[in-house]
Amino acid sequence: MQAGTGTGKSLAYLVPVLAHDDSVVVATATIALQRQLVDRDLPRFVEAVEPLLGRRPTFAMLKGRSNYVCLHRLNAGEDVPDDQDALFEPTPTSTAGRDVVRIRTWAESTSIGDRDELVPAPDDRALRSLSV
């Protein structure tokens, strides 16, 4: 669907989706659009359609798998390219190495493992070495 900003495109496809009883996947081109839908549009639409449907639709956001920490890589330390061995030294001295330690500490407390929970964002090499 193509139209200008603010013309109601999300309304056009989300209302029929919310009225559908089964699970539906809405794919977007960007995480920013997913955030808009989940944080702003869907909560408003759910409020509007709940009395009409007699039920409260639920929704969730799922990003591509590279946006999540990989428990296998965290626990096994496998699948790390040889040139990144320095990331796993006992006392890391590089920014990426310190970020690996920070990611490992954060991974113990996160419930979803979404890399966007880490602020400030860790080094990209560190994230890639420990993501799905």
Side-chain angles (χ1 to χ4, degrees), residues 15 18-19 42-57:
V15 169
L18 291 174
L42 280 165
R44 291 177 183 172
F45 297 159
V46 165
E47 287 296 320
V49 300
E50 182 179 13
L52 300 170
L53 297 176
R55 62 179 173 77
R56 185 169 186 85

Side-chain angles (χ1 to χ4, degrees), residues 19-129:
H20 194 56
D21 267 338
D22 292 328
S23 295
V24 177
V25 174
V26 175
T28 64
T30 66
I31 291 175
L33 179 55
Q34 285 183 350
R35 283 193 186 109
Q36 174 192 321
L37 296 176
V38 169
D39 294 341
R40 194 187 77 195
D41 298 340
L42 280 165
R44 291 177 183 172
F45 297 159
V46 165
E47 287 296 320
V49 300
E50 182 179 13
L52 300 170
L53 297 176
R55 62 179 173 77
R56 185 169 186 85
T58 59
F59 55 89
M61 182 167 74
L62 177 65
K63 302 173 190 176
R65 67 187 197 160
S66 64
N67 288 281
Y68 298 93
V69 69
C70 176
L71 293 177
H72 176 74
R73 286 187 175 186
L74 277 172
N75 295 325
E78 297 176 4
D79 300 323
V80 179
D82 291 337
D83 64 340
Q84 292 186 13
D85 284 343
L87 295 177
F88 298 97
E89 292 175 353
T91 55
T93 56
S94 68
T95 300
R98 286 188 297 274
D99 280 346
V100 165
V101 171
R102 188 163 67 99
I103 293 167
R104 288 178 180 279
T105 301
W106 160 78
E108 293 174 4
S109 64
T110 181
S111 61
I112 59 174
D114 183 345
R115 65 192 269 175
D116 283 345
E117 293 178 340
L118 279 163
V119 177
D123 179 87
D124 280 342
R125 285 187 332 149
L127 282 169
R128 281 193 309 269
S129 72

Side-chain angles (χ1 to χ4, degrees), residues 6-22:
T7 57
K9 294 182 297 290
S10 59
L11 181 64
Y13 61 80
L14 288 179
V15 169
V17 163
L18 291 174
H20 194 56
D21 267 338
D22 292 328

